[in-house]
Structure formats: structure tokens, C-alpha cells
């Protein structure tokens, strides 16, 4: 269902004209109302009158997470605090939260964007949306909640946790859409199996999954286990939350809501813009946010972009599913490895293994060590040693072929690796300690 046909199907020429108009207004407002951006622009010798259209976005300074932390809590505001109606925040490695502030207009915008995303699944107002993202300072729960209400669907605000109760509510209320992290979807499917509940006993048709990188192979596993169509949603708390981009029924890239969030792809090392179709770091400018707009925010997420019209009829630019983050990329013996690559290999092995794994990187002397702990199913774990050795060698061979670096594979019994009702912790990098 196309929620906002005017903007989701806008011509490329009209979209660029709208983006240009909004960028000019944004830069003027930010320069006049925020000391951080005024200083950044002055250091570059850029004035608001130098920005005449969307092509001039590259004249503007980048924003990084450190800017938000240095400005904690309200240094990045562009609106008076009296106009802020909600605050969200995400935790960081420094101990300081990364704060995002929203005016009433920002909340309306967010609701509209999340509603667009729900429509991209093919759902309509008759569908019931079960929200299992966490509510609170994390943006996932409230973002999809208000989006579902704006879309016109019955909304079940479950938050995360208490999985047994969630399954009961899924059965009783007949939810047709579930929104949660992909790792929690797997966790729910495990509970269904342990309680003897078959997926067809639920009414689920669609899943909206995000907040952590996940592979296409993980998508297939979720779809197989829950008998649904699984969609990737993208957002980050600094920009807005869930609703920045979303897959449609074609599942061929995530439609970027570019009338409000302007995307660029840059080389993460040189910061030079890259052409459509090349992988690089996603940079976002919030064209219409009031409370805490961001100019050329470096997301650290790696993807590529296309502006070709989609078969669904939408003309919004599309980004490929996030392959990883430049700051989450592991460099092991000189080789770049993304966790999503590891997940893709594991999910392709077969039903001998379960979708639970942990990556452990350490250093002995000057050499990196690289281990992946993989859970195997109960039946295989009690099988003969040779079969386990064969499986271990097969995984190691596939990893070496796909990653160009060979990890040690450790097969562990079911329920060895900690489950998550939110974002899964996949990596333990002991080299950083």
C-alpha cells in the first residue's frame, strides 16, 4: 500500500527541487540558531547564501557522533527547549548518551515516515501490528507504535521481553504484523517450537525487522520459521529512529524517504562523494527536522544507492541493506571482515546449525586469533565425533573461501550462547581491552 503517493512516487526533477528548497531553509535556520554549526560553517568559509540548491550540500561540514556527545545534552538544539516535546537517547562507549530531541512537528513527521514504511510491506488498515521493540529512550518501540497508529492499524504495544506472554498475545489478538529485532524474531520462533505452537496457529503475515545488521540468509531463516514475509527497516536515533528507509514488497533495496532525509554515499577514508552503485558510507542530512536537525551526519553504515524507479511504482531512492558499519568492521590479519559476511556463511550451511553464534577476536603476541562459536542442533550434538569434525571442517572451509581469512570454528551445544530480547551481541573483541 502506498501511504503517500505524492511523495513516494514523485518525479526525480520534482524531488530535487523539493530537496533544494528544503536544504536552503535548513541551512539558514541552523546557521542562525546553533553555535556548533555556525562555527563549523565559518571555519569552512561557507555562508547560508552560498547554498542555493541540493548540489551545494557538499560545501557543508560533516557532523559526527562526537559532535553530539561534546554537545551533550542540548548543545545541538536548533529550537528552544520549550518547543521540545520528547527526548530519545542511545548509549555510547564513552558513557555519555547520544541525545536526540523532537518538536511536535518532528513527532508528526516521524509518525508519517513510519506509517509509510508499514505500508511498504503490503499491509493495510485491517492489519494488526504487534510492536516488540523496546519502549523508552530507545527509538524502536515508540517509533513503530506511532507509525502504526498513523497508518490506521490496531497497535499492540508489547515492548520486548516476557516472550511467553507475547506468544499468547500474538495468538489471542491475531496480530498480522510483528516489529522487532531479527535476533528476537529467532528467539520467538524458538519459544514457539519449545511450547509446541506451530507458526500456522498465529495470524502473522509480515515482519518489520531492524536495529541490527542482518543478512539475507537470516531473512530466509526467519521467513521459514515464522511463515511470514520479512522486511528490513532502517533508522538511527540521531536522525529520527525507524522510518528513514524500508523495503517494499519487491525486497530489492530499502526505499529512502529522501524528501525529508537526503542521502549521500562517501568514501569513508577520503570523504569524497561516490557515484550511485558504489559501496561507501551513508551520510544523511535531515531536511525538515526542527528540534535537532543534522547536516551531513556520518552514519558509519556501509551501503550503496540507486535512484532507478522500483517495480513497486515508488521513485524514492533505494539503499542496499546495510552490510555493516565502518566502525564495526573487524580487521583480522589485515583482512576486512564484516559480521554480516560471517552470518551469511553460517546461514547457508544448513539445518545442522542453529542461528546463534558469537565472534571472538583476541591477540596472542603480535598475531590475531579469530574464533567463531556456533550452536548445533540437539540431534547432531549427540551424534558421532566424525560427523561433528566433518561439519567443523566444512564451516572452516566456507569461511576461508568467503572471508579470505580462516577462523577457528568451535561447535557448542544448544543454549550455550546467550539469547537476546533486544539487540544481539555478536562480537567480543578482546584486543581492545
Amino acid at each position: 500500500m502506498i501511504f503517500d503517493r505524492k511523495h513516494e512516487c514523485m518525479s526525480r526533477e520534482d524531488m530535487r527541487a523539493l530537496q533544494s528548497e528544503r536544504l536552503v531553509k535548513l541551512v539558514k535556520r541552523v546557521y542562525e540558531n546553533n553555535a556548533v554549526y555556525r562555527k563549523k560553517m565559518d571555519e569552512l568559509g561557507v555562508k547560508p547564501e552560498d547554498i542555493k540548491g541540493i548540489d551545494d550540500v557538499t560545501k557543508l561540514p560533516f557532523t559526527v557522533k562526537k559532535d553530539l556527545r561534546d554537545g551533550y545534552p542540548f548543545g545541538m538544539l536548533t529550537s528552544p527547549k520549550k518547543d521540545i516535546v520528547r527526548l530519545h537517547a542511545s548509549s555510547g562507549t564513552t558513557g555519555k548518551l547520544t541525545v536526540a530531541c523532537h518538536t511536535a512537528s518532528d513527532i508528526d513527521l516521524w509518525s508519517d515516515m513510519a506509517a509509510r514504511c508499514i505500508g511498504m510491506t503490503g499491509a493495510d488498515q485491517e492489519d494488526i501490528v504487534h510492536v516488540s521493540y523496546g519502549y523508552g529512550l530507545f527509538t524502536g518501540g515508540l517509533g513503530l507504535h506511532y507509525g502504526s497508529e498513523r497508518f490506521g492499524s490496531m497497535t499492540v504495544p508489547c515492548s520486548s521481553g516476557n516472550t511467553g506472554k507475547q506468544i499468547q498475545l500474538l495468538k489471542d489478538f491475531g496480530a498480522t504484523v510483528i516489529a522487532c529485532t531479527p535476533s528476537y524474531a529467532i528467539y520467538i520462533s524458538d519459544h514457539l517450537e519449545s511450547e509446541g505452537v506451530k507458526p500456522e496457529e498465529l495470524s502473522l503475515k509480515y515482519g518489520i525487522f531492524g536495529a541490527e545488521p542482518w543478512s539475507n540468509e537470516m531473512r530466509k531463516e526467519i521467513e521459514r520459521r515464522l511463515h511470514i514475509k520479512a522486511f528490513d527497516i532502517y533508522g538511527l536515533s540521531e536522525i529520527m529512529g525507524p522510518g528513514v528507509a524500508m523495503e517494499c514488497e519487491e525486497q530489492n533495496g530499502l526505499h529512502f524517504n529522501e524528501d525529508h532525509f537526503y542521502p549521500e554515499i562517501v568514501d569513508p577514508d577520503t570523504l569524497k562523494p561516490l557515484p550511485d552503485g558504489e559501496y561507501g558510507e551513508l551520510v544523511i542530512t535531515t531536511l525538515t527536522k526542527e528540534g535537532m536537525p543534522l547536516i551531513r551526519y556520518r552514519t558509519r553504515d556501509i551501503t550503496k544507492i540507486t535512484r532507478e524507479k522500483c517495480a513497486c511504482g515508488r521513485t524514492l531512492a533505494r539503499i542496499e541493506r546495510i552490510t555493516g558499519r565502518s566502525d564495526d568492521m573487524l580487521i583480522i590479519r589485515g583482512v576486512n571482515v564484516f559480521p554480516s559476511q560471517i552470518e551469511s556463511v553460517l546461514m547457508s550451511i544448513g539445518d545442522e546449525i542453529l542461528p546463534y553464534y558469537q565472534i571472538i577476536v583476541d591477540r596472542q603476541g603480535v598475531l590475531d586469533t579469530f574464533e567463531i562459536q556456533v550452536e548445533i542442533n540437539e540431534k547432531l550434538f549427540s551424534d558421532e565425533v566424525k560427523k561433528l569434525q566433518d561439519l567443523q571442517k566444512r564451516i572452516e572451509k566456507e569461511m576461508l573461501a568467503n572471508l579470505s581469512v580462516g577462523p577457528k570454528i568451535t561447535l557448542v551445544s544448544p543454549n550455550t550462547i546467550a539469547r537476546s530480547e533486544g539487540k544481539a551481541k555478536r562480537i567480543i573483541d578482546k584486543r581492545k581491552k
Side-chain angles (χ1 to χ4, degrees), residues 330 332-333 337-339 341-346 353-354 356-362 369-376 392 395-396 398-400 403 405-412 417 426-428:
L330 296 167
I332 302 169
R333 303 168 206 157
V337 177
F338 287 105
Q341 292 174 286
I342 293 170
E343 180 175 284
S344 293
V345 174
L346 292 175
I353 66 172
L354 301 174
Y356 296 101
Y357 61 93
Q358 193 137 63
I359 303 160
I360 303 170
V361 185
D362 204 347
T369 62
F370 179 23
E371 177 187 4
I372 304 173
Q373 295 182 352
V374 184
E375 281 193 16
I376 59 176
Q392 180 182 5
I395 298 173
E396 288 175 346
E398 289 295 320
M399 287 292 175
L400 181 59
L403 307 180
V405 59
K408 173 188 176 185
I409 299 297
T410 303
L411 303 179
V412 299
I417 295 169
R426 304 288 195 196
I427 305 168
I428 300 174

Side-chain angles (χ1 to χ4, degrees), residues 386-401:
K386 186 176 187 309
K387 286 187 178 179
L388 294 176
Q389 291 174 335
D390 289 344
L391 175 62
Q392 180 182 5
K393 289 178 182 177
R394 178 152 56 97
I395 298 173
E396 288 175 346
K397 181 180 178 182
E398 289 295 320
M399 287 292 175
L400 181 59

Side-chain angles (χ1 to χ4, degrees), residues 109-163:
L109 164 66
W110 189 2
S111 300
D112 283 340
M113 296 303 98
R116 274 191 200 179
C117 292
I118 292 170
M120 288 181 193
T121 65
D124 60 31
Q125 284 81 5
E126 297 296 322
D127 283 290
I128 299 172
V129 180
H130 181 103
V131 181
S132 291
Y133 285 109
Y135 282 63
L137 287 177
F138 174 61
T139 57
L142 287 169
L144 265 299
H145 177 104
Y146 283 103
S148 175
E149 290 186 346
R150 181 62 53 87
F151 188 68
S153 292
M154 185 189 296
T155 307
V156 185
C158 276
S159 193
S160 57
N162 200 350
T163 306

Side-chain angles (χ1 to χ4, degrees), residues 284-295:
I284 303 175
T285 298
T286 61
L287 296 174
T288 56
K289 277 188 68 177
E290 293 180 345
M292 203 184 86
L294 296 179
I295 292 175

